[in-house]
């Protein structure tokens, strides 16, 4: 059983940066891939970026060039560095992991507003 806990959300101005972190416990060694998703109120959850234990990264078009996903296998964490944030980036951001069963964190709110 994998537990995921996100942190780092908050309020940021348009054009600003924010770093999200996700700590995994209870079975990190069984995880094959980790990812970040985001969900706007009233909309479905959407994939943002993913990374394998070996470091292979993939990004949604909306994240390319602005977001960077990294994994620290020694610390059992995955991070999402976000820059040039836009108002439409306001959402709850969720960490996810596959073992291959998919697990979810509780989410962290990111608000992009002036």
């Amino acid at each position: 059983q994998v537990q995921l806990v996100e942190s780092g959300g908050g309020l940021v101005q348009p054009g600003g940066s924010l770093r999200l972190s996700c700590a995994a416990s209870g079975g990190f060694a069984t995880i094959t891939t980790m990812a970040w998703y985001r969900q706007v109120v009233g909309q479905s959850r959407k994939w943002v970026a993913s990374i394998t234990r070996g470091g292979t990264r993939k990004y949604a078009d909306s994240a390319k060039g602005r977001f960077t996903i990294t994994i620290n296998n020694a610390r059992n964490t995955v991070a999402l560095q976000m820059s040039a944030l836009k108002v439409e980036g306001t959402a709850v951001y969720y960490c996810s992991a596959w073992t291959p069963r998919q697990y979810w964190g509780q989410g962290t709110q990111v608000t992009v507003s002036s």
Side-chain angles (χ1 to χ4, degrees):
Q1 190 80 4
V2 174
Q3 294 85 42
L4 303 171
V5 179
E6 301 97 334
S7 61
L11 174 64
V12 61
Q13 292 186 344
S17 298
L18 203 62
R19 182 180 177 86
L20 305 181
S21 294
C22 174
S25 61
F28 187 82
T30 63
I31 293 174
T32 57
T33 302
M34 297 190 75
W36 288 94
Y37 288 73
R38 63 186 180 191
Q39 186 169 21
V40 176
V41 173
Q43 297 183 18
S44 60
R45 196 169 295 184
K46 296 181 180 179
W47 170 71
V48 175
S50 58
I51 187 168
T52 66
R53 290 285 300 277
T56 300
R57 299 176 175 91
K58 293 183 180 180
Y59 297 95
D61 287 344
S62 60
K64 288 179 181 177
R66 299 187 300 119
F67 294 3
T68 301
I69 188 171
T70 55
I71 192 168
N72 187 320
N73 290 313
R75 296 185 178 182
N76 299 349
T77 60
V78 64
L80 184 69
Q81 178 68 46
M82 304 184 292
S83 60
L85 282 163
K86 304 176 182 179
V87 172
E88 52 263 40
T90 295
V92 177
Y93 285 70
Y94 294 91
C95 177
S96 184
W98 282 265
T99 64
R101 173 186 170 182
Q102 188 172 19
Y103 294 87
W104 295 94
Q106 82 288 350
T108 185
Q109 177 70 46
V110 172
T111 301
V112 185
S113 175
S114 56

